[in-house]
Amino acid sequence: MNSQHEFVLRTVEERDIRFIRLWFTDILGALKSVVMSPSELESAFEEGVGFDGSSVEGFSRISEADTIAMPDPSTFQIMPFDKEEPELLSARMFCDITQPDGQPSLVDPRHILRRQVTEAANEGFTCKASPEIEFYLLEDARDINKLVATDNGGYFDQATHDNAPSFRRRSMYALESMGIATEFSHHETSPGQQEIDLRHADVLSMADHIMTFRYLIKEVASQQGVHATFMPKPFEDRSGSGMHTHLSLFEGDSNAFHDPDDEISLSSTGRQFIAGILEHAVEMTAITNQWTNSYKRLMFGSEAPGSVTWGISNRSALVRVPTYRLSKEMSRRVEIRSLDSAMNPYLGYAVLLAAGLRGIREGYELGDPAEDDVHQLTRRERRAMGYKDLPSSLDQALREFERSEFMAEVLGEHVFEYFLRSKWDEWHEYQQQITAFELRNNLNF
């Protein structure tokens, strides 16, 4: 029993917390939870909580069903919505999933990211992440054929007669109360679309924060009688929802991406990191954009990159190097713009970090930045300029992913194979549909 365990046990007793929620995710990023009594907490710290892993998507076979959830006391936070009902006060902790012999489970997404964090640490780096998370607020989601946004606002609009400003304030309060620092919030480009940006944290903590963010946003929305969705592109004629993420590597207290003598203050380490992401972007797109709907955003969403490019302040590029405050060391970072808001953050950040580290380790060279608006270039122009296109469908993304030994290495064989099977099933189910478009155009032939 260490000091963190003791702090949690003491807080539970002093605050009279009645329920402990243990959280983890499956391979696709769905949040899983088991609730236990505080009387079981000390035992859970020592022995974990057993559950049937074969019942969780992709975790284990029936013959290997016994699985252990080990609470991580460093993630302990009191839930914000129970304070008005003290008899229901609860707290949550994320869990690490292990095998009965105590070894980490190779299918735990949190462990997969932790492996890459360890790889970075072995090379002297700590990875920091800061996401800009977009999502839609809808009046009602029960009729999926008639989605209605909660407002008619546009980019940065200050609405006064709808629920959006109140919603964002309540959401930011809930996030801050659980130790998740926010930076900004604003209305995005489309009616009903919102954005909340999180302050940078180490990449594993940030993945935990994103899972908590999704839960809290949906809870606040429900309390206000609306529905929140992180679907990449719920509307045909409106922008998609991305999760642009700013990444940086630190060596101790020094930003490894910063070079004061460079024209854009970007070090050779930063350039190699970008080169690694660009080199492996196509093969990891199935992870960073894992749904059939993700490609509606990449192909037709506003400011969503469709090609493997980098640029200086260029919002049409896949990787953007912001030029705000060039002389400020802590601000030097790179922004990955292909990610969508429905990504499993553990797996997505794991493959991004692995690609960037490989670029540094193997000394990848970074080509010239894109200066054009890449969205406006034709396919022939992009090819002539040496730009590779990102996959335009889950089908194409899976074919690239399936050929990638690198992705199999980063994710591990079980997760790699399960992800492929699950996503091929999704694609084939998607292909089987007879859509309104087909009926409208082909029924009379």
Side-chain angles (χ1 to χ4, degrees), residues 56-216:
V56 178
E57 286 291 327
F59 262 38
S60 55
R61 296 167 292 196
I62 291 292
S63 60
E64 304 165 339
D66 291 343
T67 312
I68 309 294
M70 295 294 298
D72 179 350
S74 70
T75 66
F76 175 84
Q77 290 288 346
I78 297 173
M79 300 298 295
F81 303 119
D82 305 326
K83 294 177 181 178
E84 296 179 3
E85 299 179 282
E87 70 277 7
L88 298 177
L89 194 61
S90 63
R92 74 96 166 94
M93 281 182 286
F94 281 95
C95 293
D96 294 309
I97 308 303
T98 71
Q99 300 169 0
D101 62 3
Q103 293 298 309
S105 170
L106 299 179
V107 301
D108 176 15
R110 201 165 185 260
H111 174 65
I112 290 170
L113 177 54
R114 182 180 276 112
R115 282 206 309 262
Q116 294 307 316
V117 169
T118 301
E119 288 286 332
N122 290 339
E123 298 182 28
F125 298 121
T126 300
C127 182
K128 303 281 188 179
S130 173
E132 304 170 2
I133 309 176
E134 297 172 347
F135 55 95
Y136 274 93
L137 292 180
L138 308 174
E139 291 286 359
D140 190 351
R142 286 175 294 183
D143 183 356
I144 61 174
N145 296 309
K146 191 178 180 182
L147 299 181
V148 179
T150 55
D151 61 70
N152 291 312
Y155 190 63
F156 267 44
D157 276 0
Q158 176 57 57
T160 56
H161 302 294
D162 57 55
N163 290 328
S166 171
F167 170 86
R168 293 198 301 270
R169 287 196 301 271
R170 289 175 181 271
S171 297
M172 293 175 77
Y173 176 80
L175 290 163
E176 296 279 354
S177 75
M178 292 194 69
I180 300 174
T182 60
E183 289 191 326
F184 308 104
S185 77
H186 61 85
H187 199 289
E188 256 298 333
T189 55
S190 294
Q193 191 179 33
Q194 318 296 325
E195 176 179 308
I196 299 178
D197 303 345
L198 303 186
R199 186 179 299 278
H200 72 273
D202 72 89
V203 70
L204 182 58
S205 295
M206 185 54 72
D208 291 341
H209 290 349
I210 291 169
M211 295 308 304
T212 305
F213 181 100
R214 291 176 184 165
Y215 175 84
L216 292 178

Side-chain angles (χ1 to χ4, degrees), residues 132-135 210 214 230 232 241-243 339-343:
E132 304 170 2
I133 309 176
E134 297 172 347
F135 55 95
I210 291 169
R214 291 176 184 165
F230 295 92
S241 290
M243 189 168 68
L339 318 181
D340 62 47
S341 296
M343 176 185 84

Side-chain angles (χ1 to χ4, degrees), residues 41 53 60 111 163 174 189 239 263 273 297 345 389 412 439:
L41 185 53
S60 55
H111 174 65
N163 290 328
T189 55
S239 299
E263 182 181 2
F273 188 89
R297 169 183 167 261
D389 283 345
L439 293 173

Side-chain angles (χ1 to χ4, degrees), residues 416-433:
F416 182 77
E417 293 295 338
Y418 171 80
F419 187 86
L420 270 174
R421 288 197 304 272
S422 173
K423 289 300 169 179
W424 276 129
D425 287 345
E426 179 186 341
W427 175 251
H428 293 148
E429 186 178 353
Y430 179 75
Q431 281 185 304
Q432 282 183 318
Q433 296 178 100

Side-chain angles (χ1 to χ4, degrees), residues 299 301-307 314-317 371-382 385 387:
M299 294 301 103
S302 174
E303 293 191 1
S307 300
N314 187 342
R315 283 181 163 80
S316 70
E371 297 180 353
D372 302 283
D373 182 349
V374 183
H375 298 135
Q376 301 301 317
L377 299 176
T378 66
R379 185 169 182 268
R380 179 178 295 179
E381 288 172 330
R382 293 194 301 272
M385 299 175 79
Y387 300 156

